[in-house]
Amino acid sequence: MILVTGGAGFIGANFALDWLARSDEPVVNLDKLTYAGNLQTLGPLQGDRRHIFVRGDIGDRALVTQLLARHRPRAIVHFAAESHVDRSIHGPDAFIQTNIMGTFNLLECARDHWMSLTDEDKAKFRFLHVSTDEIYGTLEPEDPPFTETNPYAPNSPYAASKAGSDHLVRAWHHTYGLPVITTNCSNNYGPYQFPEKLIPLVIHNALAGTHLPIYGDGKQVRDWLYVGDHCAAIRRVLQSGKPGESYNVGGWNEKPNISVVKTICATLDKLRPRNDGHSYTDQIRFVADRPGHDRRYAINAGKIERELAWRPEESFETGIEKTINWYLNHGDWVENVTSGAYRDWVTRQYGTAE
Ligand code: NAD
Ligand code: TYD
């Protein structure tokens, strides 16, 4: 079996659902259920004996040690993190705590577990650390996309905390021999993304008839990766990636924010036209820029294609249409995660809401 951390969040839950749709290998899913974690996303796995959900903190050494001893996973796929740049600017503490201290704790528990394995199982064990392209900092318009050898130059508290975790993961391999692999991916989008990130926020606000906020001039560029493609990349890396290596994962889809928002508006104009016949672009508003806003991220995903034969299947056009259709058909999910009803339920169920 495998241990997934952060598997009630956007990418982790997509990963757990996809994993169990493709194989019977059980998943132990450790998640703290912060505002970003949602058990409703894992609803299809309710009652499924292959999925064991545990509410808890990756920083809880006793809990993680106990889980590893009980389930003896052959791999840990580490998604759990505080993940939103704007939140990291307002309150970096949780980012340092979870992304750096939590990863440190997980590595120490993983090392103890790995040391207890037979030589054969030791060789097969993997600690897969899911990280971000934001650790490379920002690019000028003419710069080539990030490769795995770009220097680390994180600019936001979020990016710095992820960079810190990447360095720990690297050191645990170099010093202790723990078979780690790091993936650095670009901006994900797709079903079940909390509507604080650009794409789900714009879909949600458009349908709610409110403003679509664009930071600064909207010419910042991101590379967009459909979450299903990302999950496939992680499965491939887990299967065939080389311990000690890192792999950039991207969608080959560089887009300025303003063009992403206009594409969403045009797709909604087609699929769910406004009652007044106007375009959703009328709702666009340029607002104050994010402090320290990185201008451009771009991923060269050539290494993972050459070495592990992975390439994304979705273009931005196909992926965004799938995503918008999903949000149109899952208003209940969005309503639930934004209404506070979910947090009330977690409080009732677990005693506390983070
Ligand atoms: P998310 O914010 O949607 O989900 C994070 C999950 O981690 C939540 O379920 C939350 O409850 C859980 N969590 C937070 N702190 C925890 C703790 N201390 N212990 C246990 N669980 C905890 O994030 P996401 O978008 O799914 O991102 C997953 C991973 O991918 C993160 O490591 C993130 O840095 C990385 N990443 C995300 C993107 C993206 O575009 N979303 C891009 C690059 C990298
Ligand atoms: P986001 O989804 O927060 O991801 P990240 O900051 O990790 O790249 O933001 C994507 C881009 O969209 C980023 O350049 C910031 C911009 N943005 C807006 O212009 N308006 C918004 O309301 C949000 C949330 C983001």
Side-chain angles (χ1 to χ4, degrees):
M1 74 154 60
I2 61 168
L3 173 71
V4 166
T5 71
F10 163 49
I11 306 173
N14 272 285
F15 179 81
L17 290 165
D18 284 5
W19 179 271
L20 291 171
R22 284 173 167 75
S23 94
D24 281 332
E25 184 173 12
V27 172
V28 178
N29 188 342
L30 172 63
D31 195 294
K32 187 177 173 184
L33 295 181
T34 68
Y35 78 94
N38 194 306
L39 283 180
Q40 196 184 334
T41 309
L42 298 166
L45 299 177
Q46 216 174 9
D48 188 328
R49 293 165 65 88
R50 302 169 305 161
H51 181 246
I52 300 159
F53 182 80
V54 179
R55 189 189 186 200
D57 194 320
I58 55 166
D60 181 341
R61 178 118 5 146
L63 173 66
V64 178
T65 301
Q66 183 213 327
L67 284 177
L68 293 174
R70 180 182 305 162
H71 300 290
R72 305 194 66 72
R74 68 166 176 102
I76 297 175
V77 186
H78 177 33
F79 295 97
E82 289 291 336
S83 69
H84 188 38
V85 174
D86 293 324
R87 283 184 190 254
S88 83
I89 294 169
H90 291 295
D93 299 56
F95 288 73
I96 305 304
Q97 206 52 47
T98 285
N99 300 0
I100 299 184
M101 295 306 293
T103 300
F104 161 65
N105 187 62
L106 202 60
L107 282 166
E108 279 296 79
C109 295
R111 183 160 73 94
D112 282 347
H113 167 62
W114 177 69
M115 295 286 283
S116 76
L117 300 176
T118 62
D119 284 350
E120 196 187 334
D121 287 346
K122 256 195 190 138
K124 286 191 210 144
F125 185 80
R126 295 289 179 271
F127 183 103
L128 198 163
H129 175 56
V130 179
S131 191
T132 168
D133 60 359
E134 303 195 24
I135 51 91
Y136 296 122
T138 191
L139 291 170
E140 296 296 330
E142 303 310 321
D143 286 341
F146 301 127
T147 65
E148 291 77 0
T149 54
N150 271 59
Y152 274 52
N155 287 322
S156 70
Y158 163 67
S161 69
K162 291 297 289 189
S165 68
D166 290 14
H167 291 323
L168 292 173
V169 168
R170 176 193 154 86
W172 259 241
H173 175 72
H174 192 80
T175 302
Y176 304 113
L178 188 69
V180 307
I181 307 181
T182 296
T183 53
N184 294 94
C185 70
S186 57
N187 286 58
N188 282 223
Y189 68 102
Y192 302 114
Q193 187 169 29
F194 193 77
E196 64 180 357
K197 306 273 167 68
L198 180 69
I199 288 180
L201 179 117
V202 165
I203 299 170
H204 177 61
N205 287 11
L207 296 173
T210 56
H211 292 165
L212 313 181
I214 310 245
Y215 298 162
D217 62 7
K219 292 186 184 150
Q220 300 82 7
V221 171
R222 298 292 183 263
D223 169 74
W224 293 96
L225 171 65
Y226 188 70
V227 67
D229 278 333
H230 184 199
C231 292
I234 292 174
R235 290 194 299 275
R236 183 66 54 85
V237 170
L238 196 57
Q239 188 184 24
S240 317
K242 192 161 162 249
E245 293 289 316
S246 68
Y247 298 90
N248 282 354
V249 186
W252 300 105
N253 279 314
E254 272 190 69
K255 308 259 175 235
N257 293 337
I258 184 68
S259 108
V260 169
V261 174
K262 285 188 173 163
T263 301
I264 296 172
C265 290
T267 311
L268 282 173
D269 287 340
K270 187 176 68 176
L271 297 177
R272 179 73 58 87
R274 273 174 36 158
N275 290 334
D276 62 7
H278 287 246
S279 168
Y280 287 98
T281 51
D282 287 1
Q283 291 165 232
I284 292 177
R285 293 293 180 281
F286 288 87
V287 301
D289 208 353
R290 169 189 282 172
H293 198 172
D294 282 338
R295 202 68 189 159
R296 175 174 167 239
Y297 303 140
I299 282 265
N300 177 336
K303 176 177 171 181
I304 188 171
E305 181 168 350
R306 275 190 315 278
E307 297 185 8
L308 306 182
W310 174 87
R311 216 189 136 78
E313 285 182 4
E314 301 290 343
S315 67
F316 188 68
E317 290 64 35
T318 59
I320 197 71
E321 185 143 345
K322 271 190 189 174
T323 304
I324 291 173
N325 268 315
W326 186 88
Y327 279 93
L328 287 174
N329 293 324
H330 292 81
D332 54 335
W333 184 90
V334 177
E335 171 66 24
N336 196 284
V337 299
T338 52
S339 71
Y342 170 73
R343 286 166 61 78
D344 291 346
W345 180 82
V346 169
T347 308
R348 271 207 309 284
Q349 173 77 0
Y350 295 102
T352 54
E354 291 297 331

